[in-house]
Amino acid sequence: MTTLQVELGTRSYPIYIDSGILSNSDLLSSHIRSKRVCIVSNDIVAPLYAPTLKEALKHFDIDEVILPDGEAEKSLANFDVIMSHLLAGNHGRDTTLIALGGGVIGDITGFAAACYQRGIDFIQVPTTVLSQVDSSVGGKTAVNHPLGKNMIGAFYQPKAVFIDLASLKSLPAREFNAGISEVIKYGILGDGEFFTWLEQHTNDIKKGDTGTLAYMIERCCQCKADIVATDETESGVRALLNLGHTFGHAIEADQGYGKWLHGEAVATGMVLAAKLAVAMSLLEVSDLRRIEALLLAFDLPLVAPENMGFEEFICHMRRDKKNLAGKLRFILPTAIGQSEINDDVSEELLQQIL
Ligand code: NAD
Ligand code: GLY
């Protein structure tokens, strides 16, 4: 088992990475402070993994909320479902929520934990590549709004993250690849050596080789933990983790949540950001080509939806959380393994790229 630590003073927490960790009763129990837990999951993941988790927690008083599957379910309506369930069950401040699922479940459960009785403990048990390398770490919690992605939420850290590599075996290929998009993101934004490693290990990753996946996930979590420890609430360097997301969130919201997977939208968003950087002479064309080739190796989309042009993008991007004083801010790659926050992109250039 690998253990990493997110260093945030009194709110520090461990990330455990192992195969079969879902049944590690002692370790799980050591992060639960009272008798009551409530598992939040969805109707795809719960049948697969809730029985193992419940067996590991059989000495606890276990309640559960099972939401319908899908990005569109990361909503205020389902936030209310969780709140109502907790209230109806007389859950107190000592209940621990356990998010069992991908980023959708992790984000909405974390937000519910942040709000219920002004904050209760929660544990992340991420079951997708994307949630294991990104969303379960760092305490960004949220629900979507029809007018914008992740627009209602809170920074609220979990008590621990349990990453079970074995859970990836049941993940559909399209979801697996979408998660790899966020993996590639780490390589582009700040770790050129890792990007090269990804280029060299594409086949092992696609085959699902456990050792390869363990290393890949560990490296991403370490990168994220380091960034979050430096800038928990995104006043600086954490914004780099949004590489590709300015365009990506616009695609997700415009197309309707769930049509494009988050990682797919981010992949196209990273290509658009790289094209912007090339047009501004910040990035070599050869680096753009490497980015495109690696994304393509995982069947990720490189081109924006046909029905989206400048107008469609810009109306969503004007609501981007990174904007300052009404000015659009982009994360632009300046090399493989290097990126910057840039608020100097002209609308003319954007129009040209989009
Ligand atoms: P997801 O949660 O929708 O999971 C993808 C699909 O896989 C779903 O259908 C799910 O039911 C299914 N699934 C999950 N685990 C499975 C398993 N082990 N076997 C079989 N099926 C499984 O999507 P995601 O890609 O995990 O997460 C995307 C979400 O994460 C988006 O809402 C995005 O905004 C959010 N996100 C948040 C952060 C953050 O920092 N909080 C970072 C990145 C993304
Ligand atoms: N996924 C972006 C962040 O956590 O900051």
Side-chain angles (χ1 to χ4, degrees):
M1 181 173 71
T2 302
T3 307
L4 307 173
Q5 184 78 359
V6 183
E7 298 289 357
L8 286 168
T10 53
R11 286 168 299 105
S12 298
Y13 55 94
I15 304 168
Y16 302 110
I17 307 171
D18 203 0
S19 212
I21 204 167
L22 259 186
S23 47
N24 192 331
S25 179
D26 289 347
L27 197 59
L28 280 160
S29 304
S30 69
H31 292 283
I32 299 171
R33 64 160 140 151
S34 84
K35 274 308 273 182
R36 293 198 85 184
V37 298
C38 181
I39 297 170
V40 182
S41 190
N42 72 22
D43 52 13
I44 299 287
V45 180
L48 295 170
Y49 300 109
T52 311
L53 188 58
K54 282 182 187 169
E55 176 60 25
L57 298 175
K58 65 181 174 202
H59 302 299
F60 290 87
D61 173 0
I62 305 172
D63 192 4
E64 63 184 351
V65 183
I66 307 299
L67 300 175
D69 179 42
E71 181 69 41
E73 305 296 338
K74 203 174 101 176
S75 62
L76 272 177
N78 279 327
F79 170 81
D80 186 47
V81 166
I82 301 173
M83 290 296 131
S84 301
H85 186 95
L86 293 172
L87 285 167
N90 292 320
H91 284 276
R93 275 200 170 141
D94 57 350
T95 284
T96 298
L97 296 189
I98 302 184
L100 174 68
V104 166
I105 288 296
D107 279 13
I108 194 170
T109 306
F111 185 43
C115 296
Y116 188 70
Q117 299 195 5
R118 302 200 179 92
I120 59 175
D121 288 357
F122 87 112
I123 291 173
Q124 290 272 18
V125 183
T127 59
T128 61
V129 173
L130 187 139
S131 54
Q132 295 188 350
V133 301
D134 192 354
S135 64
S136 64
V137 176
K140 275 191 182 175
T141 73
V143 293
N144 299 326
H145 186 280
L147 291 179
K149 180 93 178 132
N150 295 334
M151 279 295 166
I152 303 163
F155 286 100
Y156 194 69
Q157 303 294 340
K159 290 292 169 199
V161 181
F162 285 79
I163 297 179
D164 194 334
L165 299 167
S167 66
L168 298 182
K169 290 202 165 63
S170 55
L171 199 61
R174 185 177 168 204
E175 296 291 351
F176 183 90
N177 288 339
I180 298 295
S181 177
E182 299 272 14
V183 172
I184 294 171
K185 177 189 80 176
Y186 288 110
I188 302 171
L189 74 88
D191 191 346
E193 202 182 279
F194 182 49
F195 189 94
T196 304
W197 181 90
L198 289 170
E199 289 176 319
Q200 290 164 347
H201 292 82
T202 303
N203 286 335
D204 289 335
I205 295 167
K206 285 167 94 167
K207 272 190 261 163
D209 176 71
T210 305
T212 309
L213 293 185
Y215 174 77
M216 180 188 85
I217 290 167
E218 181 187 329
R219 187 125 176 190
C220 295
C221 286
Q222 187 63 63
C223 176
K224 181 133 188 197
D226 291 344
I227 290 177
V228 169
T230 314
D231 177 23
E232 183 182 9
T233 54
E234 201 171 302
S235 50
V237 68
R238 185 165 181 172
L240 298 181
L241 291 171
N242 288 314
L243 173 65
H245 286 58
T246 314
F247 297 109
H249 282 167
I251 294 174
E252 285 184 274
D254 187 81
Q255 298 297 293
Y257 296 119
K259 188 150 183 248
W260 276 56
L261 300 182
H262 177 72
E264 293 171 343
V266 167
T268 296
M270 291 193 292
V271 172
L272 290 171
K275 285 186 172 168
L276 207 48
V278 168
M280 293 170 77
S281 303
L282 296 169
L283 183 73
E284 300 286 343
V285 180
S286 55
D287 288 337
L288 165 64
R289 297 288 171 248
R290 277 179 77 193
I291 292 169
E292 289 176 325
L294 190 54
L295 293 170
L296 208 53
F298 290 96
D299 298 325
L300 288 160
L302 308 183
V303 182
E306 262 179 23
N307 60 356
M308 273 189 89
F310 174 74
E311 289 304 330
E312 287 75 22
F313 270 102
I314 202 79
C315 81
H316 288 288
M317 295 195 310
R318 287 214 170 96
R319 284 192 283 266
D320 191 87
K321 293 189 286 304
K322 286 188 298 303
N323 296 344
L324 275 185
K327 222 172 166 199
L328 297 182
R329 290 164 93 219
F330 291 88
I331 310 304
L332 299 182
T334 51
I336 299 288
Q338 210 175 291
S339 54
E340 66 174 34
I341 303 170
N342 191 305
D343 62 2
D344 204 21
V345 177
S346 71
E347 288 216 356
E348 291 71 33
L349 193 57
L350 266 179
Q351 225 151 3
Q352 202 181 307
I353 298 292
L354 296 171

